[in-house]
Amino acid sequence: MNVDEFGLPIIPDAVNVSQRKREAIIDAAKVEFLKEGYTAASVDAIASRAGVSKPTIYKHFGNKERLFLAVIGGILPQTYAHLEPCKSKIAQADDLRTALISLITEWAEILLRPDIMALRRLVIGEIDRFPQLGKAWYRISDKMNNEPLVEAFEILHERGRISVPDPALAVRQLVAATIGVPQLVRTFDADAEVDLEEIITSGVDLFLARYRAA
């Protein structure tokens, strides 16, 4: 089985399946898996929702497991693709505090969306059955979110604007102090009230106080 850099299956285009049918299958599978989880989700229900036959799904995706991994594993990269590149935005910012608050707020608006939180719960619930999905979640988040910010902090450190001898650790601490708590709370209580503006602002201030340039 061919897999991508995150260990998720690569599903080639099928000659006899139109792009429209493929998209319909993926959309239907997203709804069914997020609603029912892997075990309870039915290929029959996915086929019915997509308006295709079960053999069409199997022909295109192979089996339920590959469909699950390909569809659920593909949501996060597609979601993060809408974020603006942050390396130059942070590294070149005149007002670093404002730039960090803006960036973290943008991240939070995506990560705390109900559909992304539902995906997070699903991945956590299925991590024993599909450990590669959990690893992919971590690696995708790290590569698409954290790594560009690490590079920005390296530049800012070299310029003497902040003092971060370990940029990767600094990024993890910033994320934990801002998005981390709301994300944890909403994972287990979807309707919990959180003062996102206050949490992010105070977290950024805490980070900047810790890593103030000497």
Side-chain angles (χ1 to χ4, degrees):
M1 178 176 69
N2 292 328
V3 297
D4 64 15
E5 61 182 308
F6 303 112
L8 301 175
I10 297 173
I11 307 298
D13 290 332
V15 175
N16 295 323
V17 178
S18 71
Q19 184 64 26
R20 186 164 59 181
K21 281 187 178 180
R22 174 175 175 154
E23 290 173 357
I25 293 169
I26 290 173
D27 289 343
K30 285 179 185 177
V31 173
E32 190 68 15
F33 285 132
L34 289 173
K35 178 183 176 184
E36 303 292 344
Y38 175 77
T39 302
S42 161
V43 176
D44 284 316
I46 294 171
S48 176
R49 190 185 294 273
V52 301
S53 66
K54 280 178 65 176
T56 296
I57 292 179
Y58 289 129
K59 184 173 184 178
H60 195 47
F61 289 92
N63 55 40
K64 179 181 173 182
E65 177 180 326
R66 279 170 56 82
L67 175 62
F68 177 77
L69 288 171
V71 169
I72 300 304
I75 294 176
L76 208 56
Q78 293 167 4
T79 301
Y80 285 155
H82 297 295
L83 286 172
E84 293 183 17
C86 72
K87 177 181 174 180
S88 60
K89 183 164 57 175
I90 298 301
Q92 305 298 331
D94 293 327
D95 185 337
L96 181 58
R97 179 179 183 268
T98 298
L100 286 173
I101 291 173
S102 176
L103 173 67
I104 299 299
T105 300
E106 186 180 4
W107 284 7
E109 288 173 351
I110 290 177
L111 294 176
L112 297 179
R113 273 175 18 199
D115 59 324
I116 299 301
M117 292 305 303
L119 173 64
R120 177 182 174 85
R121 296 185 200 100
L122 177 60
V123 170
I124 292 172
E126 299 292 348
I127 202 165
D128 288 335
R129 188 195 308 269
F130 300 109
Q132 67 269 51
L133 201 55
K135 291 177 182 177
W137 177 287
Y138 173 78
R139 290 181 61 200
I140 291 168
S141 297
D142 193 59
K143 181 173 183 177
M144 301 187 75
N145 281 1
N146 292 10
E147 285 186 8
L149 194 52
V150 168
E151 294 174 3
F153 284 174
E154 289 172 345
I155 294 171
L156 290 170
H157 177 77
E158 291 172 359
R159 293 175 179 169
R161 294 200 50 197
I162 55 177
S163 179
V164 283
D166 188 341
L169 174 61
V171 169
R172 294 190 190 101
Q173 291 171 333
L174 175 61
V175 172
T178 52
I179 301 174
V181 172
Q183 190 178 53
L184 179 63
V185 171
R186 290 277 179 86
T187 296
F188 299 101
D189 184 354
D191 299 319
E193 292 291 333
V194 293
D195 189 340
L196 202 57
E197 182 177 357
E198 171 61 25
I199 291 171
I200 291 174
T201 299
S202 61
V204 169
D205 286 340
L206 181 67
F207 171 84
L208 291 175
R210 166 63 180 85
Y211 290 108
R212 184 182 295 114

